[in-house]
Amino acid sequence: MKIAVIGTGYVGLVTGTCFAESGHVVTCVDVDQRKVDLLRGGGVPIYEPGLEELVKRNAREQRLFFTTLAAEAVAGADVAFIAVGTPPGETGEADLTYVLNAAADIGKALTGYCVVVNKSTVPVGSAERVREVLARTTTHPFDVVSNPEFLKEGAAIDDFMRPDRVVVGVESDRARAVMADLYAPFVRAEQPILFMDPRSAELTKYAANAMLATRISFMNEIASLCDRMGADVDAVRRGMGSDKRIGHPFLYPGVGFGGSCFPKDVRALMTMARFIGLDFDLLRAVERVNERQKRSLVEKALRHFGGSVAGKTIGVWGLAFKPKTDDMREAPALTILEALVGQGAKVRAHDPVAREVAAQMLRGTVELVEEPYQAAAGADALFLVTEWNEFRQPDWARLKATMKGHVLFDGRNVWDPAKARAAGFTYFGIGRR
Ligand SMILES: NC(=O)c1ccc[n+]([C@@H]2O[C@H](COP(=O)([O-])OP(=O)(O)OC[C@H]3O[C@@H](n4cnc5c(N)ncnc54)[C@H](O)[C@@H]3O)[C@@H](O)[C@H]2O)c1
């Protein structure tokens, strides 16, 4: 098939590349000329494990193309994916401007029947709005499909190639057959393609993210109880997760959730509910707990240092909102760094890949260094904020020798408290004894 993908962000680029890898001819479109130039030159604008190699190979083998012109990609396309951003609007709702603009670009460029697929995370009813835009901008026949994406940054290729399930909101049999054909190579391990109506598909995406965010906030609350009651959250987590009805994933307390999806999707779902007169009280609590959690490490540090970190040097390991990505959107590190700097601390931070992105966002308020032990050098305390693998087993003796104070604030519970204490550190985790 000939496929157009509008938007070459985390979702669009991975989608386009994986469909090219399965044999289709894909043209990815972005309004950002710099991104398109970089991609055409064999570069990749984001850090995503395995992506660069796949982009290069499929481009070389003439299955993957990049352009700034929607018309070039859409003319003759069997399928056109919309994978542009849906950032929060002023009151928390998802801003559909980019999606509707992309739909108009597609409509103007159609040359025949096309399945227009919405991959962006969009509010319930968006498929109808996309259909209206297309009806205004083309006389060619089309179908609109809602196909939300569930990939995780840092494991995006694997998630796309081997999804748990594929959700397809579709009303026409013709479009349904196209979607089944398109996804067949990715569901060979009998993962379900769940066909449903578009409104249900749109809501499924928000419901899934809101559920995951709720688990995280729930565990962060349990961890706060553990901190105050002398219980150990690792033991409680294991005890809970072993119950098959609960399961282990997403029961890890930490410094709160961030990234480009959970915070905005929780807000968008609450706003969607409010617009129709429903109060999603549970999600309000999820969000409130998360905001509080992002400040929890700093509060622990303030308590430890007698109420002030002014004049202290704090080393920070990890800035990205999670490991294996350079995405800093709504990263808890931003709240933590702002609080530390605001309290008068000097901060020196290291992240294995997010340094450049962080530098643009932090604008010189924090010193960013190339190497983890450089961030710890002379520090009164070390914060672990993102659980990159390379931080998991530090050289305790080297850390001890390089730091001035010997206090660790482990925001992801990755260090063994017994080992850290045996090495001469004062250790604080999240809800750990
Ligand atoms: N990032 C994730 O992990 C993830 C996972 C699942 C779903 N989603 C959803 O997928 C959507 C895209 O997310 P993302 O993280 O890839 O966004 P992103 O911001 O990384 O990328 C969006 C891209 O679209 C481009 N764009 C905007 N308007 C355009 C237009 N009219 N024509 C061509 N290009 C245009 C932008 O320049 C940008 O490069 C969002 O709705 C998001 O909620 C994201």
Side-chain angles (χ1 to χ4, degrees):
M1 278 191 256
K2 185 169 182 255
I3 298 173
V5 178
I6 315 295
T8 63
Y10 290 85
V11 169
L13 189 56
V14 169
T15 300
T17 306
C18 291
F19 281 132
E21 178 73 8
S22 72
H24 298 295
V25 175
V26 180
T27 306
C28 295
V29 187
D30 207 291
V31 285
D32 186 336
Q33 180 78 53
R34 276 181 318 145
K35 272 192 189 177
V36 170
D37 288 344
L38 183 66
L39 286 159
R40 279 182 166 164
V44 169
I46 51 171
Y47 176 84
E48 185 58 49
L51 182 60
E52 189 165 344
E53 189 194 322
L54 281 189
V55 168
K56 279 191 176 141
R57 187 172 66 240
N58 284 285
R60 199 172 51 237
E61 293 172 7
Q62 302 278 300
R63 286 190 302 269
L64 185 58
F65 301 90
F66 300 98
T67 177
T68 52
L69 303 172
E72 222 172 88
V74 174
D78 304 288
V79 187
F81 281 91
I82 299 176
V84 297
T86 44
E90 268 174 25
T91 53
E93 80 285 7
D95 181 352
L96 271 191
T97 311
Y98 300 104
V99 169
L100 298 180
N101 286 346
D105 292 345
I106 293 171
K108 285 181 223 152
L110 285 184
T111 55
Y113 174 77
C114 185
V115 180
V116 179
V117 185
N118 210 343
K119 230 185 200 323
S120 299
T121 302
V122 289
V124 175
S126 297
E128 286 135 66
R129 296 187 63 189
V130 167
R131 196 172 300 128
E132 283 162 18
V133 171
L134 289 166
R136 273 204 306 275
T137 47
T138 184
T139 52
H140 292 287
F142 61 83
D143 279 307
V144 175
V145 170
S146 170
N147 170 219
E149 181 50 56
F150 296 93
L151 63 77
K152 301 182 289 295
E153 287 176 24
I157 301 286
D158 205 45
D159 285 347
F160 198 95
M161 295 287 196
R162 279 172 285 277
D164 290 343
R165 78 320 205 171
V166 177
V167 169
V168 180
V170 59
E171 271 160 352
S172 98
D173 289 341
R174 187 174 179 184
R176 180 186 163 124
V178 169
M179 296 304 286
D181 202 20
L182 208 50
Y183 277 105
F186 305 103
V187 294
R188 292 176 60 84
E190 301 300 338
Q191 305 98 311
I193 300 184
L194 302 169
F195 291 103
M196 57 184 78
D197 64 278
R199 284 182 165 248
S200 301
E202 288 162 345
L203 188 54
T204 299
K205 173 66 192 176
Y206 283 110
N209 273 0
M211 178 70 190
L212 294 171
T214 302
R215 279 175 76 105
I216 294 173
S217 277
F218 180 86
M219 271 324 276
N220 283 333
E221 285 285 68
I222 295 290
S224 297
L225 283 181
C226 288
D227 268 339
R228 287 166 182 76
M229 294 175 150
D232 186 80
V233 78
D234 290 332
V236 175
R237 176 177 61 70
R238 272 186 227 114
M240 286 170 66
S242 303
D243 185 325
K244 286 200 184 69
R245 295 168 302 178
I246 296 173
H248 292 290
F250 277 81
L251 288 189
Y252 292 80
V255 289
F257 58 79
S260 68
C261 291
F262 285 6
K264 91 168 164 54
D265 292 351
V266 164
R267 242 169 271 148
L269 185 51
M270 271 194 293
T271 311
M272 229 187 295
R274 202 172 58 239
F275 279 170
I276 53 161
L278 281 175
D279 242 333
F280 211 142
D281 287 336
L282 178 62
L283 287 185
R284 213 199 315 274
V286 166
E287 195 182 38
R288 208 168 45 234
V289 169
N290 197 51
E291 286 311 308
R292 196 170 66 216
Q293 197 67 18
K294 287 197 258 179
R295 290 189 297 274
S296 65
L297 269 200
V298 177
E299 272 153 24
K300 281 175 198 250
L302 283 170
R303 271 197 300 278
H304 173 77
F305 287 114
S308 170
V309 290
K312 301 278 180 211
T313 299
I314 311 286
V316 173
W317 282 7
L319 296 168
F321 87 94
K322 66 172 180 176
K324 297 189 188 168
T325 182
D326 60 352
D327 201 340
M328 290 282 301
R329 289 178 282 186
E330 302 218 28
L334 295 171
T335 308
I336 292 169
L337 297 181
E338 191 185 85
L340 287 172
V341 171
Q343 296 277 343
K346 180 176 181 308
V347 180
R348 200 178 299 127
H350 165 77
D351 188 281
V353 304
R355 197 152 61 94
E356 266 176 47
V357 181
Q360 285 162 21
M361 294 174 101
L362 297 168
R363 296 172 188 282
T365 52
V366 163
E367 187 186 346
L368 298 169
V369 297
E370 276 182 30
E371 202 270 309
Y373 292 90
Q374 215 180 328
D380 295 284
L382 179 63
F383 277 40
L384 186 141
V385 176
T386 316
E387 68 279 33
W388 285 89
N389 278 340
E390 48 266 65
F391 301 155
R392 285 177 185 270
Q393 302 280 352
D395 178 341
W396 294 116
R398 185 174 170 199
L399 203 53
K400 178 112 188 283
T402 197
M403 287 177 68
K404 189 168 98 197
H406 298 120
V407 193
L408 304 175
F409 295 94
D410 177 359
R412 301 290 181 174
N413 286 356
V414 295
W415 288 328
D416 180 339
K419 278 191 192 159
R421 286 177 187 133
F425 288 93
T426 303
Y427 174 91
F428 296 95
I430 308 280
R432 285 175 128 183
R433 286 180 77 149

